[in-house]
Amino acid sequence: MHELGLIRNVLERALEIAEAHGSLPVESVHLRVGDYQNIVPELFSFAFEAARVDTLAADATLTWESVPLKVQCDNCKTLYMPESLIWNCLTCASNAATLVEGNELVLDHVVLQEPETAVADTQGASVWKSR
Amino acid sequence: MEIPVVEKVLKLNDDIAAGVRKRLLAHHVCTLNIISAPGSGKTTLLERSFGELREDLNLAVIEGDPDTTLDAERIAKHNIPVVQIETAGGCHLEANLVDNALNNFDLDAVDLLFIENVGNLVCPCSFDLGETCRVGIVSTPEGHDKPAKYPRLFKEADVIILNKIDLLPYLNFDVNVFREYIAQLNPAAPVLELSCTTGEGLDQWIAWLKNMVKT
């Protein structure tokens, strides 16, 4: 259940940004989450919905892009995308490799409501986007 | 209005962990982050290691548990400096907790610091504590499939301990299958089979530790 702690960090940063921009309400928060991070999407959404209550992000949506694993073979330098954490090079069959992509856990951007339309009228929902 | 951020969610933890690592390095402290499921024998392994280590090395322990000071009380009986972190239900230790706990030690008088993480095979893996090495422990009653089911710990561990091997005759645990999973995930990691009850295999662990402190 480390998702709750992580989402608090995300929310805190988003709220800092909102406050730095004249306390505009947060419309949406966008993350990039690598498959290496052991994140359960449903728990992330649930944690966000629990944490955002009574904040500038009370109506914000949470969106994230899933980043699949990409590794480079330590032996022959082939780049490949493994299905799991068991890595077998497609070229030389070595299982020693270095993670190149998929370890991300990044707050990519935050969308604030435009000042003139800053009226909260929608109930936020989480959106899962797979790459 | 879109505000680009592109910042690691764990930046704060990572920054504090980098500070902890620097602090420990400055005092020449070798630090192990010990991760396993609850009940795999982390505390018992420490208790069984003190005798062999304390002649040559100054030891200290940080205990992490959601509740109670039971483990710290066990360690304190051996006259080893110990700090208990109670996480109030939290499922893992974070770098700021370790940073605060370090204030309770005279770090110049510590060569080897054991951090016993909260019993959990998933969450602790995401949080750098500033350790020198990561130790993964599995005990035989947990089953030989644990590396396949919880791969991240076994992928990242610098050494993997298979504890409670004295129980093997009574279990369906297949050591070869277990070793095969580890070989696929983390071919470089040594796998040390031992029993804290009989003492079998403890010598390899002690030798690994002493070598780690030396280097």
Side-chain angles (χ1 to χ4, degrees):
Chain A
M1 237 336 249
H2 61 304
E3 284 83 356
L4 186 57
L6 296 178
I7 216 70
R8 277 204 203 103
N9 290 355
V10 169
L11 187 68
E12 228 166 79
R13 195 67 189 92
L15 293 174
E16 270 175 26
I17 291 164
E19 276 159 27
H21 289 80
S23 294
L24 289 171
V26 181
E27 201 168 271
S28 55
V29 175
H30 300 264
L31 305 175
R32 270 187 292 128
V33 183
D35 286 350
Y36 196 73
Q37 286 291 341
N38 293 324
I39 300 287
V40 181
E42 293 77 13
L43 283 179
F44 230 19
S45 304
F46 177 75
F48 184 72
E49 281 161 29
R52 69 184 179 179
V53 175
D54 291 334
T55 70
L56 283 171
D59 296 307
T61 54
L62 177 70
T63 311
W64 66 97
E65 185 187 348
S66 163
V67 184
L69 300 176
K70 188 194 262 185
V71 304
Q72 182 165 39
C73 176
D74 289 345
N75 182 43
C76 73
K77 306 299 173 199
T78 298
L79 282 167
Y80 61 101
M81 298 176 79
E83 294 285 308
S84 72
L85 292 195
I86 293 175
W87 301 341
N88 288 306
C89 179
L90 305 170
T91 309
C92 75
S94 164
N95 53 13
T98 304
L99 191 61
V100 180
E101 275 178 31
N103 196 25
E104 297 86 343
L105 181 52
V106 171
L107 173 56
D108 190 72
H109 64 279
V110 171
V111 179
L112 303 178
Q113 286 188 23
E114 298 297 337
E116 64 272 27
T117 62
V119 181
D121 60 354
T122 51
Q123 189 62 32
S126 302
V127 181
W128 167 260
K129 190 170 92 184
S130 202
R131 198 169 84 177
Chain B
M1 188 198 319
E2 183 175 321
I3 317 285
V5 189
V6 195
E7 206 172 87
K8 281 182 172 182
V9 172
L10 283 170
K11 185 179 185 306
L12 181 62
N13 186 77
D14 289 350
D15 288 351
I16 296 172
V20 169
R21 187 165 281 117
K22 209 170 152 189
R23 188 175 172 190
L24 291 167
L25 197 66
H27 293 276
H28 308 287
V29 180
C30 176
T31 307
L32 304 185
N33 180 3
I34 304 175
I35 302 176
S36 81
S40 66
K42 292 185 289 299
T43 315
T44 306
L45 179 64
L46 297 188
E47 290 183 289
R48 292 283 291 184
S49 307
F50 294 154
E52 291 275 349
L53 295 172
R54 67 191 313 163
E55 280 176 29
D56 305 324
L57 299 169
N58 294 308
L59 309 174
V61 177
I62 294 175
E63 285 286 344
D65 279 301
D67 207 343
T68 81
T69 55
L70 289 171
D71 280 355
E73 289 164 28
R74 281 171 63 182
I75 302 295
K77 281 186 187 152
H78 298 267
N79 291 317
I80 302 284
V82 59
V83 174
Q84 177 78 51
I85 298 174
E86 288 176 72
T87 61
C91 54
H92 60 273
L93 292 179
E94 296 191 13
N96 66 322
L97 297 173
V98 172
D99 197 25
N100 291 338
L102 291 182
N103 297 333
N104 295 285
F105 297 115
D106 172 8
L107 291 178
D108 285 328
V110 178
D111 303 310
L112 178 57
L113 169 66
F114 298 100
I115 303 175
E116 189 184 323
N117 216 311
V118 177
N120 181 328
L121 287 173
V122 180
C123 308
C125 300
S126 297
F127 296 85
D128 183 8
L129 302 181
E131 70 266 22
T132 318
C133 289
R134 206 166 265 206
V135 180
I137 305 181
V138 180
S139 63
T140 53
E142 296 167 49
H144 55 240
D145 56 3
K146 288 302 156 294
K149 287 182 173 174
Y150 300 87
R152 184 164 174 186
L153 170 61
F154 302 95
K155 188 94 194 157
E156 294 179 353
D158 297 288
V159 62
I160 292 155
I161 290 173
L162 178 60
N163 192 17
K164 309 188 188 178
I165 57 166
D166 53 305
L167 298 179
L168 282 171
Y170 313 104
L171 302 167
N172 295 322
F173 192 101
D174 189 325
V175 176
N176 291 330
V177 174
F178 176 78
R179 282 185 169 275
E180 184 53 32
Y181 283 132
I182 307 266
Q184 288 180 328
L185 284 164
N186 189 353
V191 179
L192 310 179
E193 298 175 27
L194 56 86
S195 163
C196 291
T197 303
T198 64
E200 187 184 351
L202 276 171
D203 49 342
Q204 309 166 65
W205 161 242
I206 298 296
W208 184 89
L209 280 172
K210 286 185 173 172
N211 184 53
M212 189 50 61
V213 176
K214 225 188 304 171
T215 53

